[in-house]
């Protein structure tokens, strides 16, 4: 089973208590199975804490949103290679079953979408690097602007 994403776990921890120190966040994240250096977890914790504080300053209330609650705008196209979908290890739910039940269709759509991205990127490690690049840019829109810039430079 792959380790949970650092940013997802850190966001959940800080949404529960934004006043935790970075060391406390690191301990809690490692207890939840996050694999990564203390430095990278600390960096992520500071960035997410800053983002959450900005949201609080704007008057938005912090609320924990389980990963299963996110939905895509349109269902992804089916993946043509069925062998890609064959699991070699048992699938283990990371979210309690009662959270998954109402949004099972959204969860399955997201899994199919991520599977498509992993295939397009050539593996889970490459897909993780893309996700981290999007996060580092601040938003999908910012990442796409940088992508257009790089594409223009590389094609010239």
């Amino acid at each position: 089973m792959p380790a949970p994403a650092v940013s997802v776990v850190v966001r959940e921890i800080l949404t529960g208590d934004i006043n935790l120190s970075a060391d406390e966040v690191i301990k809690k994240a490692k207890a939840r199975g996050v694999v990564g250096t203390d430095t990278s977890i600390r960096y992520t914790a500071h960035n997410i804490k800053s983002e959450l504080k900005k949201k609080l300053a704007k008057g938005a209330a912090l609320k924990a949103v389980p990963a299963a609650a996110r939905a895509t705008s349109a269902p992804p196209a089916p993946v043509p290679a069925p062998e890609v979908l064959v699991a070699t290890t048992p699938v283990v739910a990371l979210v309690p079953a009662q959270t998954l039940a109402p949004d099972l269709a959204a969860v399955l759509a997201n899994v199919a979408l991520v599977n498509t991205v992993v295939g397009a990127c050539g593996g889970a490690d490459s897909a993780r690097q893309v996700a981290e690049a999007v996060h580092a840019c601040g938003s999908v829109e910012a990442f796409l602007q940088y992508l257009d810039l790089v594409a223009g430079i590389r094609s010239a």
Side-chain angles (χ1 to χ4, degrees), residues 2-3 5 7-8 12 14 24 33 55 60 70 74 76 79-80 86 92 98 101 105-106 109 117 119 129 135 138 142:
S7 60
V8 173
E12 289 173 358
L14 288 173
E24 292 169 324
K55 285 182 181 179
R70 296 185 193 112
V79 178
V86 176
V92 179
Q98 66 271 19
V117 171
Q129 288 177 351
H135 180 71

Side-chain angles (χ1 to χ4, degrees), residues 132-148:
E132 289 173 357
V134 171
H135 180 71
C137 288
S139 69
V140 173
E141 292 80 17
F143 176 80
L144 291 174
Q145 288 178 345
Y146 289 119
L147 182 63
D148 289 341

Side-chain angles (χ1 to χ4, degrees), residues 47-85:
N47 286 342
I48 291 175
K49 186 183 276 192
S50 174
E51 177 186 321
L52 293 175
K53 284 183 178 181
K54 287 177 187 176
K55 285 182 181 179
L56 281 175
K58 289 182 180 179
L62 293 181
K63 51 185 171 184
V65 178
R70 296 185 193 112
T72 58
S73 58
V79 178
E83 61 273 5
V84 174
L85 298 176

